[in-house]
């Protein structure tokens, strides 16, 4: 499968890495169209090629393609958020998720063709860093391949929830692992079928050179 990663450049030679970065945007509406296995493999392999602390390579990619499984997972997430209360400590992060879940109207997967969960060892100091590197690689690969993607935080926000943990372990997550990131992936539901690639000026993110 490793050779698939290197074929991305052949297919996307019109988009250099800087253009791919500048034109990547989140997709929150997907077509009801499956992603070919070859393209899905390339996106996942891009994640597997990501940097890893001490070259441990402990990211565990759980790839869900069955819509029924995604619906079960979404229902569990809504159920568990609905049990929580909004506090000053969590309001900025997932207060909106709690409020929407209590109303029974919480949507966060956006009906993708595939949902990729990135788990890692709970006792590993670079777990979130390694998962983040993999996520960025996969999002850039998706953009280069004409696919849309969106980073999904909800499973990480519920990290340690016993109900959700048990379900994820049924799907294949190990007992010593936890979710650190997840990705919705598919064909964007746009007029041309391509992801939004407009370049938006960056505000914020200041830079200070220290000589």
């Amino acid at each position: 499968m490793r050779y698939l990663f290197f074929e991305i450049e052949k297919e996307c030679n019109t988009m250099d890495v800087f253009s791919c970065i500048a034109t990547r945007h989140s997709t929150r509406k997907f077509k009801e169209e499956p992603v070919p296995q070859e393209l899905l493999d390339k996106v996942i392999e891009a994640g597997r090629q990501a940097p890893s602390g001490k070259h441990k390579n402990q990211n565990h990619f759980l790839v869900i393609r069955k819509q029924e499984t995604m619906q079960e997972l979404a229902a569990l997430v809504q159920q568990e958020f609905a049990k929580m209360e909004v506090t000053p400590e969590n309001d900025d992060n997932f207060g909106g998720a709690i409020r929407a879940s209590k109303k029974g109207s919480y949507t966060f997967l956006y009906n993708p063709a595939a949902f990729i969960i990135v788990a890692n060892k709970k006792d590993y100091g670079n777990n979130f860093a390694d998962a983040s590197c993999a996520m960025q690689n996969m999002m850039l690969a998706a953009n280069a391949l004409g696919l849309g993607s969106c980073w999904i935080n909800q499973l990480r926000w519920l990290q340690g929830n016993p109900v959700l943990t048990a379900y994820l372990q049924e799907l294949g997550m190990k007992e010593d692992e936890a979710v650190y990131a997840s990705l919705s992936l598919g064909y964007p539901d746009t007029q041309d079928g391509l992801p939004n690639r407009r370049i938006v000026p960056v505000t914020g993110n200041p830079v200070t050179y220290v000589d």
Side-chain angles (χ1 to χ4, degrees):
M1 184 160 123
R2 185 175 297 271
Y3 75 95
L4 294 173
F5 176 72
F6 299 103
E7 291 187 351
I8 292 176
E9 182 180 356
K10 298 177 185 177
E11 296 185 11
C12 308
N13 54 13
T14 58
M15 179 178 287
D16 63 39
V17 64
F18 294 104
S19 297
C20 194
I21 292 169
T23 61
R24 190 219 65 81
H25 300 285
S26 296
T27 297
R28 292 183 174 86
K29 189 176 182 182
F30 295 95
K31 290 182 177 180
E32 293 184 4
E33 181 180 342
V35 173
Q37 186 66 48
E38 180 184 6
L39 297 189
L40 182 57
D41 286 344
K42 287 179 179 179
V43 171
I44 295 168
E45 184 64 11
R48 295 183 66 246
Q49 291 282 344
S52 172
K54 296 183 179 179
H55 202 59
K56 286 184 174 292
N57 296 326
Q58 294 179 148
N59 282 328
H60 182 187
F61 300 84
L62 289 83
V63 185
I64 302 174
R65 288 178 293 184
K66 288 181 62 177
Q67 290 297 318
E68 296 85 352
T69 304
M70 292 187 214
Q71 291 167 7
E72 287 178 359
L73 183 59
L76 274 181
V77 167
Q78 177 171 273
Q79 168 191 297
E80 295 309 300
F81 270 130
K83 295 176 182 177
M84 302 171 68
E85 298 299 331
V86 178
T87 67
E89 291 74 26
N90 67 30
D91 197 5
D92 279 348
N93 291 326
F94 49 87
I98 295 173
R99 294 185 184 94
S101 294
K102 288 182 181 294
K103 296 176 181 177
S105 58
Y106 191 41
T107 302
F108 67 93
L109 291 182
Y110 312 116
N111 300 311
F115 185 59
I116 304 171
I117 298 170
V118 185
N120 207 307
K121 304 294 185 183
K122 290 184 284 189
D123 61 355
Y124 171 49
N126 287 323
N127 42 37
F128 190 56
D130 284 11
S132 296
C133 289
M135 288 285 287
Q136 182 74 346
N137 271 18
M138 290 192 292
M139 290 188 292
L140 292 176
N143 187 34
L145 293 168
L147 298 170
S149 65
C150 187
W151 185 310
I152 304 297
N153 276 309
Q154 282 72 3
L155 302 188
R156 180 178 64 83
W157 287 336
L158 288 171
Q159 190 183 87
N161 177 280
V163 174
L164 194 60
T165 297
Y167 184 78
L168 291 170
Q169 288 177 355
E170 289 178 11
L171 299 182
M173 189 176 76
K174 307 301 182 183
E175 290 187 5
D176 62 347
E177 295 175 340
V179 175
Y180 291 92
S182 48
L183 187 74
S184 285
L185 181 76
Y187 285 105
D189 188 6
T190 57
Q191 189 171 3
D192 61 4
L194 292 173
N196 169 19
R197 283 176 170 160
R198 63 190 178 93
I199 296 180
V200 179
V202 176
T203 59
N205 294 337
V207 177
T208 301
Y209 286 99
V210 180
D211 296 325

